[in-house]
């Protein structure tokens, strides 16, 4: 072993001591919310009840109390729903400090339970107490080997204060260091819709003193909490990959890389990528490659222009790198692989090249070599198409819950509980909501639910009316399906319908359960329903790459996107696997098979991150956002290629995140009919809500570009196409021809994945 590779003894000792400290330290579980009344305290208490039932020694160290001047609300009292939940749980009595009750840290340490619940993590302690902050109390409990379950709202995280000040016009004095949360063993989002938060505020005994937030502020805080949790999951996922030496990259998060070149407008490319990164909730990387440290291959003007683009990227907090390499394309592709980049942005060159030379340029070599990475060639800003504006709803006339909602009058209210896998708790949450509605005198019934033999789920059905199922005989076997006609005849105010993506038995009124739900909503009946992220049609290819499973039962994105409320049901991945191992989700033999296939930790973490980011997209749709110049309009070119389905889903996914209309275009020769294969792809595009155009033309590249200009397309998505004959060799491939013809629009070359 050389001197350079021999480990430093002191550093090795420090690392061993840190590992020993962590091994002795208790486990920290954080429930993260975005506002008061989202339900963090309830989730924490329910967690303590479950742990106590499993034989763990648990105590309640602190539960948030009312601090009210209202005569009807005693100061120091618990909210009513909290008091009932606390029954049967041991509480450590608080201490009196300066006329206020505070958590008794010394009593908890003396009691030394296995697990302690501590509400209000960001609380500032009185000066007379040992620690200045409650999170420091929690840290001390952890150091004594006591595990802690705690809760905090996203606006109290120290690392987010700049964004919180911009949003609320004030910072929080009581904050928790970012690193403390990042080192937690579990961070779980507690999510409810902003509509429900305000409803709970109105019903609260101290409603007169509660701080009310504007609906749009709640949407933004919720988005922030979802993205923070998603980033936390992403960091854990990367650590898991490194620990297990896994090469597979799960792409739940977009990572965009700008490649600056001397012959393109770098500032424009950075701006374009930055706006896309914001809409996609993605990370931004900017690189420039020079053959030496002297920038000897560019003129002074070119160097100045590149440096201006790099400076702009730094103001946007992008990761900026200047690489030294004689082969620009090779250096870019290596850098992209190392940083798990999903999209490369590069500008159209100002130089005009012969057709057959295009793919010998840096841009051409990047397109050819970017395996598994999309390449986004941005338009020449001097020629860029400006899309026709998309009609929008004025802010002062938009419904409070959804500024872009265009729901027909009289249609029912749709609430979707969205999870990432079986067993996270979607059905239980739906049933709990059913009981809550019934307790308020609302006529709620179960149209269909699937217990899967789970005791916890079946126990929640008691007390709720169930509409009798319809029996269907198919191939000599009897099946039970939701009886749509019976639900419509019963006409409740609210109907609970489990498993939205279910395929009905042949012979049913509709092929899919989501179509049954549409019929119930059209009848003016509200619906609560459940679905997992893998069943969204536009994510079908993502899920296949993550889980290596082709999900056959899917739901059109618009069904979920146009829901009046979407609630993310979150659960830590290892907690879900623990449920699986305890037989809570499946019987032992089925659980064992699930562990080997879909329920692998990496798969579940990637799906969880994808679900959280989907929730953030929903929030972003309901809050004001910076418009891309002239709006956006996307178009995807459809062929008979088997990969066309993935291309359509990718286009729809990007269009939704950019709030842009999307067109699917198929070119046929004159007097030719659309083939069966192409029609299948076009039907998928229709299902996803895209505008479908079938146009005639003998020269496909010219026909497509002409049509794109006609409808005002700003971004065109193409699949990769290898050179196949003398015409491609002479005139260039399809992509080369489109790139030459369409310098006025962005060309998005989608990778095969």
């Amino acid at each position: 072993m050389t001197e350079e590779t021999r480990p430093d003894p002191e550093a090795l000792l420090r690392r061993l001591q840190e590992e020993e400290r962590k091994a002795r330290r208790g486990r920290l579980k954080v429930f993260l919310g975005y506002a008061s009344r989202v339900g963090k305290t309830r989730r924490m208490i329910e967690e303590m009840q479950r742990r106590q039932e499993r034989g763990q020694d648990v105590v309640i160290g602190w539960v948030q109390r009312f601090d009210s001047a209202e005569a009807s609300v005693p100061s120091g009292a618990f909210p009513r729903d909290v008091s009932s939940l606390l029954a049967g749980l041991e509480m450590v009595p608080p201490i009196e400090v300066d006329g206020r009750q505070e958590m008794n840290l010394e009593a908890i340490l003396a009691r030394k339970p296995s697990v302690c619940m501590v509400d209000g993590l960001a609380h500032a302690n009185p000066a007379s107490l040992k620690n200045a902050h409650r999170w420091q109390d929690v840290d001390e409990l952890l150091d004594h080997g006591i595990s802690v379950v705690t809760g905090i709202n996203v606006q109290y995280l120290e690392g987010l204060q700049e964004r919180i000040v911009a949003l609320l016009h004030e910072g929080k004095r009581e904050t928790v260091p970012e690193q403390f949360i990042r080192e937690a063993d579990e961070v779980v989002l507690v999510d409810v819709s902003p509509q429900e938060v305000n409803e709970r505020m109105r019903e609260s005994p101290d409603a007169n003193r509660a701080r009310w937030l504007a609906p749009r502020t709640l949407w933004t805080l919720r988005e922030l909490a979802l993205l923070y949790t998603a980033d936390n999951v992403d960091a854990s996922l990367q650590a898991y990959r490194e620990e297990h030496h896994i090469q597979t990259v799960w792409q739940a998060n977009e990572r965009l890389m700008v490649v600056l070149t001397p012959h393109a407008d770098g500032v424009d490319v950075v701006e374009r990528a930055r706006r896309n990164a914001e809409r996609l909730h993605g990370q931004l990387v900017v690189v420039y490659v020079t053959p030496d440290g002297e920038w000897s291959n560019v003129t002074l003007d070119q160097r100045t222009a590149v440096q201006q683009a790099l400076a702009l990227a730094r103001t946007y907090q992008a990761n900026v790198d200047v690489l030294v390499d004689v082969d620009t394309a090779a250096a870019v592709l290596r850098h992209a692989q190392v940083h798990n980049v999903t999209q490369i942005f590069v500008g159209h060159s100002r130089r005009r090249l012969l057709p057959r030379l295009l793919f010998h340029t840096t841009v051409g070599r990047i397109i050819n070599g970017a395996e598994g990475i999309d390449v986004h060639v941005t338009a020449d800003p001097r020629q860029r198409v400006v899309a026709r504006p998309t009609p929008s709803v004025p802010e002062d006339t938009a419904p409070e819950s959804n500024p872009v909602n265009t729901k027909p009058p009289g249609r029912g209210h749709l609430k979707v509980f969205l999870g990432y896998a079986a067993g996270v708790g979607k059905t239980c949450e739906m049933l709990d909501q059913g009981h809550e509605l019934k307790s308020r005198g609302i006529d709620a019934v179960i149209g269909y639910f699937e217990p899967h033999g789970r005791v916890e789920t079946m126990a929640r059905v008691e007390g709720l009316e169930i509409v009798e199922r319809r029996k269907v005989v198919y191939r000599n076997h009897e099946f039970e399906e939701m009886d749509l006609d019976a639900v419509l005849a019963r006409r409740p105010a609210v109907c609970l319908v489990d498993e939205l993506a279910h395929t009905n038995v042949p012979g049913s009124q509709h092929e899919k359960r989501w179509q049954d739900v549409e019929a119930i909503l059209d009848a003016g009946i509200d619906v609560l329903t459940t679905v997992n992220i893998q069943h969204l049609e536009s994510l079908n290819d993502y899920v296949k790459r993550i889980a290596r499973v082709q999900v056959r039962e899917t739901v059109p994105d618009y069904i979920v996107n146009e829901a009046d409320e979407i609630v993310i049901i979150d659960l830590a991945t290892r907690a879900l696997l623990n449920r699986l191992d305890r037989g809570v989700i499946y019987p032992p033999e089925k659980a064992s098979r699930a562990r080997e296939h879909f329920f692998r930790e990496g798969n579940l973490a990637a799906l969880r991150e994808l679900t959280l980011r989907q929730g953030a997209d929903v929030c972003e749709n309901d809050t004001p956002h910076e418009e891309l110049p002239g709006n956006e309009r996307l178009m995807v070119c459809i062929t008979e290629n088997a990969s066309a389905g993935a291309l359509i889903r990718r286009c729809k996914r990007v269009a939704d995140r950019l709030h842009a209309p999307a067109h699917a275009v198929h070119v046929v020769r004159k007097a030719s009919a659309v083939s069966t294969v192409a029609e299948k792809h076009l039907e998928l595009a229709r299902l996803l809500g895209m505008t479908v155009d079938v146009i005639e033309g003998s020269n496909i590249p010219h026909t497509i570009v002409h049509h794109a200009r006609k409808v005002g397309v700003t971004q065109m998505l193409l699949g990769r196409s290898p050179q196949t004959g003398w015409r491609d060799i002479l005139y260039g491939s399809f992509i080369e021809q489109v790139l030459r013809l369409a310098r006025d629009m962005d060309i998005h070359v989608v990778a095969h994945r």
Side-chain angles (χ1 to χ4, degrees), residues 588-610:
E589 64 281 359
K590 189 175 179 182
S592 178
R593 290 195 302 272
R595 262 283 198 178
E596 295 171 3
H597 296 93
F598 192 84
F599 276 72
R600 291 191 294 267
E601 186 173 346
N603 292 355
L604 294 174
L607 289 170
R608 182 186 176 202
E609 182 183 352
L610 193 61

Side-chain angles (χ1 to χ4, degrees), residues 413-600:
H413 180 101
L414 177 61
K415 184 170 187 174
V416 177
F417 297 94
L418 182 65
Y420 69 89
V424 297
K426 305 178 301 298
T427 303
C428 287
E429 189 65 31
M430 179 183 71
L431 294 170
D432 286 348
Q433 289 258 320
H435 281 289
E436 184 180 338
L437 291 168
K438 186 179 177 184
S439 70
R440 286 157 44 191
I442 297 171
D443 182 20
V445 305
I446 297 174
Y448 186 93
F449 98 104
E450 188 55 65
H452 294 290
R454 297 168 192 158
V455 176
E456 186 180 358
T457 305
M458 291 187 288
R460 282 175 158 83
V461 175
E462 188 175 345
L464 290 174
E465 178 186 341
I466 303 176
V467 175
E468 188 174 349
R469 298 181 184 184
R470 181 172 58 90
K471 292 180 171 56
V472 182
V473 177
Y474 178 67
R475 292 183 177 176
N476 299 320
H477 292 279
E478 188 174 81
F479 299 89
E480 290 187 343
E481 295 285 5
M482 179 172 71
D483 192 333
L484 176 60
D485 290 336
V487 170
L488 295 175
R490 169 64 176 75
R491 196 166 181 79
V494 183
C495 183
L496 282 61
V497 182
D498 209 5
E499 298 191 345
L500 181 65
H502 171 77
T503 300
N504 293 329
V505 174
S508 299
Q509 189 170 342
H510 296 118
E511 181 186 355
K512 300 285 189 178
R513 185 166 291 156
W514 63 262
Q515 294 170 312
D516 293 337
V517 166
E518 287 278 276
I520 296 171
L521 292 167
D522 286 341
I525 300 169
D526 295 348
V527 174
L528 308 183
T529 189
T530 64
V531 70
N532 280 327
I533 192 71
Q534 59 265 31
H535 295 291
L536 287 188
E537 178 61 50
S538 73
L539 295 176
N540 197 262
D541 304 297
Y542 283 84
V543 172
K544 186 177 180 180
R545 289 197 300 274
I546 290 170
R548 286 171 277 183
V549 172
Q550 182 73 59
V551 177
R552 302 295 179 186
E553 295 184 316
T554 60
V555 175
D557 288 47
Y558 74 85
I559 299 293
V560 175
N561 291 343
E562 294 178 6
D564 300 275
E565 294 181 67
I566 298 177
V567 178
I568 305 301
I569 306 301
D570 191 35
L571 182 71
T573 305
R574 288 182 180 173
L576 179 63
L577 289 171
N578 182 263
R579 286 186 181 183
L580 183 71
D581 293 340
R582 290 188 288 113
V584 174
I585 302 174
Y586 299 129
E589 64 281 359
K590 189 175 179 182
S592 178
R593 290 195 302 272
R595 262 283 198 178
E596 295 171 3
H597 296 93
F598 192 84
F599 276 72
R600 291 191 294 267

Side-chain angles (χ1 to χ4, degrees), residues 173-185:
R173 292 188 297 274
E174 301 174 342
T175 60
V176 176
E178 182 96 0
Q179 191 61 28
F180 185 78
I181 303 296
R182 292 290 184 192
E183 291 179 355
D185 298 278

Side-chain angles (χ1 to χ4, degrees), residues 1-9 12:
M1 183 181 289
T2 64
E3 186 67 32
E4 289 76 19
T5 60
R6 185 178 296 123
D8 176 17
L12 186 60

Side-chain angles (χ1 to χ4, degrees), residues 678-704:
E679 182 56 44
K680 183 179 178 182
H681 295 321
L682 295 174
E683 188 55 40
L684 171 62
R686 292 186 189 98
L687 183 68
L688 290 172
M690 300 169 70
T691 300
V692 172
D693 300 313
V694 177
I695 53 180
E696 291 185 358
S698 55
N699 185 316
I700 295 177
H702 281 81
T703 302
I704 283 174

Side-chain angles (χ1 to χ4, degrees), residues 46 89 102 117 134 144 218 224 255 276 306 322 326 349 423 457 464-465 479 487 552 568 623 633 650 653 691 727 748:
E46 289 174 345
L89 292 171
E102 295 288 343
M117 173 184 151
R134 186 165 291 159
H144 280 78
L218 286 173
L224 197 58
R255 292 180 173 86
N276 277 269
V306 170
V322 176
V326 294
S349 173
T457 305
L464 290 174
E465 178 186 341
F479 299 89
V487 170
R552 302 295 179 186
I568 305 301
T623 50
R633 189 177 298 273
R650 178 66 169 165
R653 186 86 179 137
T691 300
R727 192 177 291 272
H748 194 148

